[in-house]
Amino acid sequence: MPHESGDEHRAHPADAPAVPAYGPARLRRSRHRKRKRALRWIAGGTLGAVLVGGGGVAYAWQHLNGNIKGTDVNAALGSDRPGEQHNGAMNILLLGSDSRAGTHGQYGSGVVGARADTAMVLHVDKTHKKASVVSIPRDTLVQRPSCDQPHGGTVPPEQAMFNSSYALGGPACTVKTVEKMSGLRMDHYLEVDFKGFQKLIDELGGVDITTRTALHDRGSGLSLDSGKHRLKGKEALALVRTRHAVGDGSDLGRIQLQQAFIKALIHRADTVDPLGSPAKSYALADTATKSVSADSELASAGKLLGLAKELKGISPDRTTMVTMPVTYDAQDAGRVLPLEKASHRVWKALRHDQPVPKTATRGSVADRTDTPVVSGT
């Protein structure tokens, strides 16, 4: 959003041309003022409340802040972490948990707790104009570090599936696991679960995709013919959850679907006009803040809004997406292992705020799967 400078309140210099009482110049100035007021209101996320007075503004802002669940990652992890990047670059761990809370068995019964089924490291470069996303397969066997559990106790260090770090130690343990394996400090983390993801897509009005082949998966409930689609929340969730409709039925094919969907989602979010419907803008902000969890430093409406503004200039064509290089585990066909040298090249590039070399993922089984069958329209 443009910066609110307050120029409309400044007196014009004596030699400035007079503005006619009526006509195009007057109309342009009037529109400019209205636009700046609208931007100011929306920046506060409280336009609907502004209409009922200043007290409503404070209430609405407090309501949005109260929606967000925060975790104090810094307190949980202490000082044993990689150093911060001081050049303006930023690393954010994006998590999609498989929590079924509040879904009334819609996505399977008997599933207790939550795991980090989707994990992506978002690296924003120092210009905040380009981004790299590295997906970490949930089935990767990693050296999970020792972690404090949220309600007491300790998670022992051991080789385990990556997504077990969340199940046993919560988001702070997942952050610690990612930092240990990458050498990158996570400045923030953002998490959304099944229910929140579905609501957010519905509030956006759906996301446009194109499928190059038919996709059917009884497990996730996905059923799409080839062609163009606008996916609402339920279908979008089925798409990003599917494992058996693409590739070899493992998590690797699903990751490619997720990466393609994320790009389509970025495109869709960029087309939403906050000035077109102030009430809808507030509803979207309300849904978004209810749908996500974050680290405590980001867990406020103002901080999330600030982050959204910082990332606004990153378009899908300026976003590079890769999967951490892996190979199949010879001892267990359902697991993968990091390709150490190749993974090191990926993480090193991000630590130095550089693009991930295309050659870094060559030889990875994640790179051998079929081209994504989904694209944004």
Side-chain angles (χ1 to χ4, degrees):
M1 289 180 191
H3 177 65
E4 175 56 54
S5 65
D7 289 345
E8 72 272 27
H9 300 301
R10 296 176 185 170
H12 290 279
D15 58 349
V19 177
Y22 301 99
R26 173 91 178 179
L27 182 61
R28 284 196 300 270
R29 187 178 181 189
S30 175
R31 286 176 178 169
H32 180 65
R33 284 180 172 176
K34 289 179 180 178
R35 178 174 175 80
K36 294 189 86 170
R37 284 198 298 271
L39 287 170
R40 185 164 60 246
W41 288 334
I42 291 171
T46 54
L47 181 53
V50 168
L51 301 178
V52 295
V57 174
Y59 170 79
W61 189 254
Q62 185 178 14
H63 172 74
L64 290 177
N65 281 335
N67 286 341
I68 309 169
K69 293 177 289 185
T71 297
D72 193 342
V73 172
N74 289 332
L77 300 188
S79 59
D80 183 21
R81 305 179 65 186
E84 297 182 51
Q85 291 182 290
H86 297 289
N87 61 351
M90 183 189 313
N91 301 303
I92 304 171
L93 180 60
L94 307 177
L95 299 178
S97 79
D98 65 354
S99 170
R100 272 75 166 173
T103 64
H104 308 291
Q106 185 177 359
Y107 305 110
S109 57
V111 181
V112 180
R115 287 141 294 278
D117 262 16
T118 300
M120 298 179 174
V121 174
L122 168 63
H123 174 81
V124 182
D125 83 340
K126 63 183 179 183
T127 69
H128 288 201
K129 298 298 182 183
K130 296 180 182 179
S132 298
V133 176
V134 181
S135 294
I136 303 173
R138 52 163 258 174
D139 298 330
T140 308
L141 288 173
V142 300
Q143 290 298 326
R144 189 187 63 215
S146 174
C147 298
D148 292 333
Q149 292 181 306
H151 304 294
T154 302
V155 179
E158 64 177 342
Q159 186 180 52
M161 273 180 58
F162 172 78
N163 69 349
S164 70
S165 61
Y166 186 101
L168 297 175
C173 189
T174 301
V175 169
K176 187 173 184 178
T177 301
V178 172
E179 290 187 342
K180 290 293 184 182
M181 65 192 293
S182 68
L184 276 170
R185 186 186 182 97
M186 296 298 108
D187 299 292
H188 300 293
Y189 95 89
L190 283 170
E191 175 191 341
V192 63
D193 61 15
F194 284 179
K195 186 177 179 181
F197 177 86
Q198 183 171 318
K199 284 187 173 182
L200 192 54
I201 300 303
D202 278 336
E203 195 64 56
L204 275 171
V207 173
D208 296 322
I209 64 162
T210 297
T211 58
R212 300 189 184 98
T213 63
L215 297 174
H216 302 287
D217 183 357
R218 289 184 180 180
S220 70
L222 180 67
S223 183
L224 295 175
D225 294 328
S226 61
K228 294 184 178 182
H229 307 273
R230 173 162 288 189
L231 302 186
K232 293 299 184 66
K234 185 177 181 179
E235 287 182 309
L237 181 58
L239 177 74
V240 299
R241 289 185 63 220
T242 190
R243 294 173 65 111
H244 305 294
V246 290
D248 59 5
S250 74
D251 194 42
L252 303 180
R254 176 169 62 176
I255 284 174
Q256 292 189 327
L257 288 180
Q258 292 171 348
Q259 291 175 346
F261 184 82
I262 288 293
K263 285 199 171 186
L265 177 59
I266 294 171
H267 176 75
R268 173 62 177 159
D270 198 46
T271 64
V272 175
D273 178 15
L275 297 176
S277 174
K280 184 173 179 60
S281 296
Y282 182 79
L284 181 58
D286 189 38
T287 299
T289 50
K290 285 178 179 176
S291 300
V292 301
S293 302
D295 60 281
S296 56
E297 291 187 357
L298 198 57
S300 75
K303 294 292 181 62
L304 283 175
L305 176 66
L307 177 63
K309 289 169 68 177
E310 287 187 55
L311 304 184
K312 182 68 174 175
I314 303 176
S315 58
D317 61 345
R318 291 181 175 180
T319 304
T320 301
M321 293 193 169
V322 302
T323 301
M324 185 181 75
V326 292
T327 187
Y328 293 119
D329 180 11
Q331 306 301 318
D332 188 341
R335 303 287 179 263
V336 292
L337 297 167
L339 286 171
E340 296 296 341
K341 290 183 178 179
S343 295
H344 176 73
R345 291 185 66 194
V346 170
W347 301 127
K348 181 180 178 181
L350 299 192
R351 288 196 300 271
H352 290 82
D353 196 26
Q354 296 174 349
V356 175
K358 292 183 178 180
T359 56
T361 57
R362 193 174 296 162
S364 169
V365 295
D367 204 38
R368 295 179 200 164
T369 54
D370 296 335
T371 302
V373 295
V374 178
S375 63
T377 54

